[in-house]
Amino acid sequence: MSGNTANAALVPQPLGDCAEMGERFNFAQHLFTINAGRASKTAVRCDFGSLTYGELSDHAKRFAAGVLAAGVRREDRLVIFMQDVSHWPVAFLGAMYAGVVPVAINTLLTGPDLAYMLANSQARGVAVSGVLLPTLREALGLSDHAVASIFVSHPQTCPPAGTDTAGADMMQALRTEGVATVVDLADWLQTQTPLAQAANTSPDSPGFWLYSSGSTGRPKGTVHSHANPYWTAQHYGKGILKIREEDVCFSAAKLFFAYGLGNALTFPFSVGASVVLMAERPTPEAVFKRWVDQKPTIFFGAPTGFAGMLASPALPKREEIALRLASSAGEALPADLGERFTAHYGVEIVDGIGSTEMLHIYLSNLPSNVRYGTTGWPVPGYTLSLRADDGSEVPDGEVGDLYIQGQSAAMYYWENVAKSRETFQGAWVKSGDKYVRNADGTYTYAGRSDDMLKVSGIYVSPFEVEATLVQHSAVLEAAVIGVPDENGLTRVKAYVVLKDGADVTSEALQLFVKERLAPYKYPRQIEFISELPKTATGKIQRFRLRAANA
């Protein structure tokens, strides 16, 4: 079995079980308890202010009391459709403290995407950033599902809801359209009395959801327990990254990602470190501003982001920043990017792979022992297996499907028995990734087991993009694949067959897709061809298109 025995001297040993994980366990209460002695220490810095650990606990407990009073009950779902500001951890932890199940949602979603998730999760409430209210209102109008409560986050430096005419009008419109409770989150929190006692949850109680895409592109509600984030912090935050109380953590990956949730909430709060949150998009310039002004010591990014930063003329000098460590996940890190970053800053990028289903990274390089070009070794606490199509173990040097076993595995996919059985196989989780195990015990990425594309760390379904392209009146057929760019990172490319006599530009088709799907899904390249390669039965042979771009 492919485990973590090779090169054992190089790999840290797993942290032992902790006595605090008893029969009853509430993850939010756990964080508040271990940080009770840090009440005056800064927990969160965001673009609009900061919270100490004492304030974080107080505000989250106020949110817990208020959300229950608003009619959101234990194990009801509360969607968090919010930018990365201090209200995000307040709502997330407040919901968990109350036994309500927060559902973290991608802020880049379109109205139809959000409408599906609201209906699929049967959410009773939504915590939403004011700037995202138009998308939420559109989603509610597209679904028969109704929510009872909406909690609107207006950052402190923006006009309050009462003086922000657009925001106030939108909130009033939602009330008129049947939402019972629509409140300004900051003002409303001050009127609530902190909930005195956490919900009596167990380690196996549903704690929160994240949505994961599959080979059809249909999002799946991935149900995680209260214990799951505890174990990712033990195994990776403390065990591999060695995050400590004096660290300042900054993640370009947003909190709604499994990766970002660990980076900017679970890991730092588990040791009393501070977090820098950023509401805006993680452009190189936005990241550099936080590096220089906030002086984070650990930065969490993705290969696409590192490539953009290294290509920027505004790249800060080594002496301008305070990084001691960088982390990468979301897609395989090309060796050249890691080597160039280390040459410039003298700081390693610790590359790893995780998944929504496993919550965070389970296969990783190690600080001070980075093998660029590989994804490193199994994280202690996880066991890996590479298997052939018949389920047998594959030997070193051969490609196999990656299976993982570990305590942070999700419980199941909500209302999706077929996909749950396919992915969660007893104690094992099938990742959907293919890997090769090397002689030194490291693993090298060998692609996906399906046609899903990993673009900038987010899954993109080629079928969804194809289905959108063929809606254009000029398009007869389309096929979408992933192609490498100059940095070796995946980009979406579409092959398009036009109808007889039709004419349309690449730019027009790109805009067409952007208007109908989340912006990150549009094809960066479009090539017009006379016909698509197909099998005798008419199936598109994407492998031939991929071979033409190799």
Side-chain angles (χ1 to χ4, degrees), residues 210-417:
L210 301 170
Y211 269 92
S212 173
S213 292
S215 57
T216 63
R218 199 61 159 166
K220 303 184 294 294
T222 309
V223 182
H224 280 283
S225 71
H226 274 263
N228 288 164
Y230 172 88
W231 290 116
T232 60
Q234 288 290 104
H235 295 326
Y236 200 73
K238 298 177 184 178
I240 297 295
L241 299 181
K242 309 294 185 188
I243 294 178
R244 46 187 184 256
E245 184 176 359
E246 57 268 30
D247 276 318
V248 177
C249 298
F250 172 41
S251 177
K254 299 299 185 180
L255 282 162
F256 60 75
F257 288 116
Y259 180 49
L261 181 64
N263 305 340
L265 192 153
T266 305
F267 295 175
F269 292 173
S270 290
V271 297
S274 299
V275 175
V276 174
L277 296 180
M278 179 173 70
E280 64 184 299
R281 289 179 55 248
T283 63
E285 293 71 22
V287 170
F288 297 158
K289 176 176 174 57
R290 275 74 182 181
W291 281 4
V292 173
D293 294 349
Q294 300 289 344
K295 294 291 191 294
T297 57
I298 304 179
F299 173 70
F300 300 86
T304 301
F306 285 113
M309 290 186 285
L310 288 169
S312 172
L315 187 69
K317 298 177 182 178
R318 182 185 295 199
E319 59 270 19
E320 294 181 274
I321 68 173
L323 294 182
R324 71 171 182 86
L325 186 66
S327 168
S328 179
E331 54 189 320
L333 178 74
D336 177 65
L337 286 181
E339 290 163 355
R340 285 193 285 135
F341 188 89
T342 299
H344 185 79
Y345 286 120
V347 172
E348 295 173 320
I349 301 178
V350 179
D351 183 35
I353 185 174
S355 68
T356 304
E357 290 76 11
M358 295 303 298
L359 190 55
H360 212 272
I361 292 172
Y362 48 77
L363 175 62
S364 177
N365 278 273
L366 307 172
S368 302
N369 190 27
V370 170
R371 304 283 175 88
Y372 286 133
T374 80
T375 316
W377 294 268
V379 171
Y382 296 92
T383 302
L384 273 56
S385 173
L386 293 183
R387 302 179 186 177
D389 290 343
D390 63 3
S392 63
E393 292 281 335
V394 301
D396 288 0
E398 292 189 13
V399 175
D401 289 307
L402 179 64
Y403 289 72
I404 312 103
Q405 186 181 90
Q407 292 155 304
S408 64
M411 301 167 72
Y412 52 86
Y413 296 130
W414 174 255
E415 292 188 346
N416 198 330
V417 173

Side-chain angles (χ1 to χ4, degrees), residues 97-318:
Y97 186 84
V100 170
V101 179
V103 181
I105 297 294
N106 186 337
T107 56
L108 300 176
L109 291 180
T110 62
D113 290 333
L114 179 59
Y116 168 77
M117 293 182 186
L118 289 170
N120 177 256
S121 67
Q122 292 293 294
R124 289 275 298 168
V126 182
V128 59
S129 290
V131 295
L132 298 174
L133 274 174
T135 306
L136 174 61
R137 188 182 179 199
E138 178 191 0
L140 291 172
L142 293 171
S143 172
D144 293 334
H145 176 70
V147 300
S149 305
I150 297 177
F151 311 92
V152 185
S153 171
H154 292 276
Q156 292 134 322
T157 58
C158 294
T163 59
D164 173 9
T165 304
D169 289 349
M170 185 73 70
M171 292 171 68
Q172 183 55 45
L174 287 165
R175 296 185 188 102
T176 302
E177 291 162 6
V179 182
T181 303
V182 184
V183 297
D184 177 84
L185 183 52
D187 293 341
W188 172 81
L189 280 176
Q190 300 309 310
T191 68
Q192 306 303 311
T193 301
L195 188 65
Q197 187 171 345
N200 187 27
T201 51
S202 80
D204 295 332
S205 295
F208 60 95
W209 292 16
L210 301 170
Y211 269 92
S212 173
S213 292
S215 57
T216 63
R218 199 61 159 166
K220 303 184 294 294
T222 309
V223 182
H224 280 283
S225 71
H226 274 263
N228 288 164
Y230 172 88
W231 290 116
T232 60
Q234 288 290 104
H235 295 326
Y236 200 73
K238 298 177 184 178
I240 297 295
L241 299 181
K242 309 294 185 188
I243 294 178
R244 46 187 184 256
E245 184 176 359
E246 57 268 30
D247 276 318
V248 177
C249 298
F250 172 41
S251 177
K254 299 299 185 180
L255 282 162
F256 60 75
F257 288 116
Y259 180 49
L261 181 64
N263 305 340
L265 192 153
T266 305
F267 295 175
F269 292 173
S270 290
V271 297
S274 299
V275 175
V276 174
L277 296 180
M278 179 173 70
E280 64 184 299
R281 289 179 55 248
T283 63
E285 293 71 22
V287 170
F288 297 158
K289 176 176 174 57
R290 275 74 182 181
W291 281 4
V292 173
D293 294 349
Q294 300 289 344
K295 294 291 191 294
T297 57
I298 304 179
F299 173 70
F300 300 86
T304 301
F306 285 113
M309 290 186 285
L310 288 169
S312 172
L315 187 69
K317 298 177 182 178
R318 182 185 295 199

